[in-house]
Amino acid sequence: DAKTTQPPSMDCAEGRAANLPCNHSTISGNEYVYWYRQIHSQGPQYIIHGLKNNETNEMASLIITEDRKSSTLILPHATLRDTAVYYCIVRVYTNAGKSTFGDGTTLTVKP
Amino acid sequence: DVKVTQSSRYLVKRTGEKVFLECVQDMDHENMFWYRQDPGLGLRLIYFSYDVKMKEKGDIPEGYSVSREKKERFSLILESASTNQTSMYLCASSLQPPGANVLTFGAGSRLTVL
């Protein structure tokens, strides 16, 4: 699996968009970008994934650069409940979940 | 709406004890995983299973074993617990491709070995 690099921490004002970057410059053509988050004292929760097109669901949007070397997770209107550690993971879709979770980005949403 | 259930949220055991961590999923997922989470080390894969009675080692299998006798249940076993196995243990499951190959995690089991 390709290695990812994320900033260790970010702050965001409540109600504003939170943009969380991830660098994956060694990504291979068949590797997807996945995002999970972990709220304190809970297990990680899946958010979104994509290959090369931008993706949106009810939780977030995923923007992947054209060269696929980086991506951004966007929480359009952050709330206090979005305070969590966000993990960016890159892996082959058929790989049975042998994912490497690094330290992620701790997002703190402030009132 | 609980989908992956870990039997114990908190356990305290003594060095040398045999420890069983149980995980049950109700989503009919083929794949199941055990991770441990430690500060500064992220989540590390211990073992995973893609079918009943099948298992494969992850990145840190030493000191652990697993059992999968039924599709919905995946157990992590510490044959002789040691203090360096004090950690948060997370169970997860996923479908096999072409199903949605995303991980659904349990709430975690925090194990303290004294």
Side-chain angles (χ1 to χ4, degrees):
Chain A
D1 295 338
K3 180 179 171 57
T4 62
T5 303
Q6 299 177 253
S9 64
M10 295 181 63
D11 290 341
C12 177
E14 188 177 19
R16 304 297 292 269
N19 297 282
L20 292 95
C22 181
N23 182 286
H24 31 79
S25 57
T26 60
I27 192 170
S28 301
N30 61 347
E31 288 182 313
Y32 283 67
V33 180
Y34 291 79
W35 283 84
Y36 291 80
R37 73 179 183 184
Q38 186 173 23
I39 296 171
H40 184 61
S41 297
Q42 297 182 22
Q45 174 192 26
Y46 165 77
I47 301 173
I48 198 167
H49 73 282
L51 181 62
K52 54 184 177 181
N53 297 320
N54 298 337
E55 302 287 346
T56 295
N57 63 19
E58 65 279 3
M59 290 182 69
S61 295
L62 174 61
I63 308 297
I64 303 174
T65 58
E66 192 168 343
D67 62 8
R68 304 209 319 122
K69 293 185 176 181
S70 65
S71 60
T72 301
L73 178 75
I74 301 172
L75 309 177
H77 305 287
T79 71
L80 298 179
R81 288 176 294 180
D82 292 321
T83 292
V85 179
Y86 287 77
Y87 299 99
C88 170
I89 296 159
V90 173
R91 62 179 168 88
V92 177
Y93 188 78
T94 55
N95 192 326
K98 293 193 289 182
S99 301
T100 298
F101 287 68
D103 286 334
T105 296
T106 299
L107 174 69
T108 303
V109 180
K110 299 185 174 181
Chain B
D1 191 38
V2 176
K3 296 184 167 109
V4 177
T5 304
Q6 294 185 229
S7 55
S8 305
R9 286 301 308 273
Y10 301 95
L11 303 93
V12 179
K13 299 292 181 180
R14 298 216 172 264
T15 301
E17 279 193 80
K18 191 169 186 176
V19 181
F20 291 88
L21 298 178
E22 304 285 339
C23 176
V24 177
Q25 52 93 6
D26 63 1
M27 297 169 288
D28 203 34
H29 284 177
E30 294 88 358
N31 304 325
M32 295 189 75
F33 311 85
W34 275 107
Y35 289 85
R36 65 177 281 178
Q37 184 173 28
D38 301 288
L41 297 175
L43 275 76
R44 294 177 291 167
L45 182 64
I46 305 171
Y47 266 99
F48 68 100
S49 168
Y50 52 86
D51 201 354
V52 175
K53 297 190 185 295
M54 305 298 288
K55 61 184 180 183
E56 285 197 27
K57 295 179 179 179
D59 300 320
I60 52 163
E62 297 77 19
Y64 303 94
S65 62
V66 290
S67 172
R68 192 163 181 205
E69 297 296 319
K70 294 184 178 181
K71 187 177 185 179
E72 67 271 18
R73 188 179 298 271
F74 193 36
S75 302
L76 181 69
I77 304 156
L78 288 66
E79 294 288 343
S80 178
S82 63
T83 55
N84 63 10
Q85 293 178 310
T86 291
S87 185
M88 169 70 86
Y89 290 88
L90 290 158
C91 175
S93 68
S94 74
L95 286 169
Q96 289 277 29
N101 195 11
V102 298
L103 296 166
T104 301
F105 283 87
S109 297
R110 185 166 293 281
L111 172 67
T112 300
V113 183
L114 302 175

